[in-house]
Amino acid sequence: MKVVHACTYDRGGAANAARQIHRGLLAAGVDSTLVVGWKTIDDATVREVPGGLCRGSPSLAARIEYRLGRWFCPFGPKPWGPALLPGTALRFIERLRPDVVHLHWVAHGFLSIEQIGRIRAPVVWTMHDMWPLTPGYGTRLEAIAGLPSLAPFQPLMPGPPFHRLGRNVWQRKLRAWRDLDAVLVSPSEWLAEEARCSEVFRGRRVVTIPNPVALDVFRSGNRAALRREFALPADRPLVLFGSDAGAGFLKGGDFLAAALAKVGTRMGGPARRPLLVIFGTTDPEWARASGCEVVALGMIDSPARLASLYAACDVFACPSRGDNLPNTVLESLASGTPVVGFRVGGLPDLVEDGVNGFLATPFDTDELAEALIRTWTVESRDGSLGRAGRARAEERWSSARVSEQYRELYRERLSSSRPKSGQ
């Protein structure tokens, strides 16, 4: 069995999940190759599409698509992805003669909507965000605007003057993917249900397989020693938050700031207030509203160093407005650090309230503040939340377990599908 994974980049949340799945399959003896439009890591099993538009740093096609998205549709924290440009990735993938093509995040100049519809081999498509289900954006516009979600799934189009452009993307997906021989994989039960209700994939098979986490990298450690490594205080509650610049609003930094301000008033003097530790490229200016001392560490490229940071902190906060199955939450739980957030998206798949963290009613910052305090109280007493998080990671999210679920799905696809006869 030869599997070719396709992903626009080899870095970022979707790419990290794709690499973990790919490596788990290699360890299980599967002939697996990861094809990307822009390669930055030293890994012989990751292939960059040569020549054509998908070449450069980053690819020319990716840059054009990004600029188009920002120019035509500047709403929200991330650019619109029209997937217009037909790069050379499809020809390169087909030359590898795969038995199964496993799509991951493929917008922004890697595969056009029409090229996806022309893939000959059986397709498994892991949805790392909502782009396959929408008129070109990675999450619901309702989440971007802070509005209640529509249910069942309905594609909310951007307003004037961008409505026609969103409608164009939507109609292209309906036409191009009508006969696509694909099974969709959702890392979370929430997104699986969204896919089943969507017009694009209604009636298609949708399965839920979580993303794996590198348990040998993300693990607990000596908290006191790790705090010294990062020059963090030993006697203060540490709240960790991570986000890139584009997703800061969706990740709910403003909710966290409001909750921490309420925590601060309940915990006495400044010496008892929590310290907020931030990693990623998000502007930490919003954090000043929390009234807490803030340590901004910027981008952390080393997985081992990031694992140490998780393990050094008391709690990881993920107060997202909407999320699929955040890698940061998987990594934190594997590192023995409990998680707090809202009961939205895929968070309930990962966090069991009172077992490995606490979930608050969306978007109640009073409950979020209480969840933070309860986490510190329980964890300082017996460490049970952190141990439960690690145990759950070992039970459900190991690379070996997840790769076996994908192998079984590939076998089913090969037994029930035939490649397309023409381009």
Side-chain angles (χ1 to χ4, degrees):
M1 183 195 310
K2 185 171 186 178
V3 180
V4 172
H5 301 262
C7 195
T8 304
Y9 302 110
D10 65 1
R11 301 180 69 177
N16 290 341
R19 287 206 317 273
Q20 282 298 314
I21 295 167
H22 163 61
R23 289 169 179 169
L25 292 168
L26 288 174
V30 175
D31 183 355
S32 178
T33 302
L34 174 57
V35 173
V36 300
W38 180 29
K39 180 177 177 178
T40 63
I41 62 175
D42 184 13
D43 185 337
T45 68
V46 177
R47 304 278 300 275
E48 183 180 67
V49 176
L53 288 175
C54 286
R55 180 69 181 173
S57 301
S59 72
L60 176 60
R63 282 182 284 174
I64 293 173
E65 290 266 356
Y66 185 92
R67 293 297 182 187
L68 281 172
R70 281 297 187 202
W71 182 40
F72 282 118
C73 209
F75 56 83
K78 286 190 174 181
W80 174 61
L84 285 164
L85 299 176
T88 58
L90 181 57
R91 290 197 301 273
F92 182 71
I93 290 169
E94 290 185 338
R95 284 201 298 270
L96 297 176
R97 302 179 65 84
D99 296 306
V100 175
V101 173
H102 189 154
L103 300 180
H104 294 273
W105 199 84
V106 292
H108 287 172
F110 188 67
L111 289 171
S112 71
I113 289 171
E114 289 72 20
Q115 286 178 320
I116 292 170
R118 295 199 300 268
I119 295 173
R120 295 176 180 177
V123 171
V124 170
W125 193 343
T126 298
M127 299 179 293
H128 296 284
D129 64 11
M130 298 189 78
W131 184 83
L133 314 180
T134 72
Y137 34 85
T139 189
R140 284 182 180 271
L141 286 186
E142 305 95 291
I144 294 173
L147 300 173
S149 292
L150 299 174
F153 182 86
Q154 300 172 38
L156 184 63
M157 296 292 171
F162 311 112
H163 180 84
R164 286 187 179 182
L165 297 167
R167 176 62 61 182
N168 173 267
V169 172
W170 184 245
Q171 293 298 329
R172 287 170 56 220
K173 288 182 178 181
L174 290 174
R175 288 194 302 268
W177 301 346
R178 182 178 55 227
D179 299 320
L180 180 65
D181 184 15
V183 169
L184 298 187
V185 177
S186 169
S188 68
E189 294 290 349
W190 161 76
L191 189 55
E193 188 57 30
E194 295 281 338
R196 293 185 187 105
C197 294
S198 74
E199 187 178 354
V200 177
F201 294 112
R202 188 175 295 138
R204 304 291 181 88
R205 185 183 176 199
V206 182
V207 299
T208 302
I209 300 177
N211 290 333
V213 62
L215 296 175
D216 58 333
V217 175
F218 294 95
R219 54 191 178 187
S220 58
N222 185 305
R223 184 159 288 171
L226 292 173
R227 289 191 178 196
R228 288 195 295 272
E229 178 182 329
F230 289 96
L232 296 171
D235 57 351
R236 296 269 298 280
L238 301 187
V239 181
L240 184 63
F241 177 85
S243 172
D244 63 39
F249 177 79
L250 282 176
K251 293 296 183 182
D254 53 335
F255 292 138
L256 179 59
L260 286 173
K262 295 173 182 180
V263 168
T265 63
R266 302 177 193 177
M267 296 190 68
R272 291 290 303 153
R273 289 187 177 182
L275 185 147
L276 177 58
V277 183
I278 301 174
F279 69 91
T281 58
T282 185
D283 185 347
E285 183 62 31
W286 57 265
R288 302 190 189 284
S290 68
C292 296
E293 184 182 350
V294 178
V295 175
L297 298 176
M299 282 295 296
I300 299 180
D301 292 324
S302 165
R305 184 165 174 78
L306 182 57
S308 296
L309 181 60
Y310 284 119
C313 295
D314 296 285
V315 59
F316 179 76
C318 185
S320 299
R321 284 175 162 82
D323 230 322
N324 184 8
L325 200 82
N327 286 339
T328 50
V329 173
L330 284 166
E331 292 163 356
S332 180
L333 294 173
S335 302
T337 298
V339 174
V340 300
F342 295 122
R343 201 171 286 104
V344 299
L347 266 295
D349 290 23
L350 301 176
V351 181
E352 184 176 355
D353 200 41
V355 175
N356 57 359
F358 291 96
L359 295 177
T361 301
F363 297 101
D364 188 324
T365 55
D366 285 312
E367 281 194 26
L368 186 63
E370 184 60 31
L372 289 166
I373 294 172
R374 291 175 69 190
T375 300
W376 294 319
T377 301
V378 174
E379 196 66 1
S380 63
R381 183 180 65 230
D382 57 20
S384 59
L385 299 175
R387 289 195 302 272
R390 176 66 188 189
R392 176 162 292 197
E394 292 175 350
E395 176 189 351
R396 302 185 182 185
W397 308 316
S398 70
S399 292
R401 178 179 174 83
V402 172
S403 65
E404 180 53 37
Q405 291 175 275
Y406 274 110
R407 289 175 68 192
E408 181 59 31
L409 181 58
Y410 298 152
R411 286 191 286 263
E412 293 175 12
R413 298 291 291 118
L414 291 174
S415 66
S416 63
S417 302
R418 292 183 178 179
K420 296 179 183 178
S421 59
Q423 181 78 353

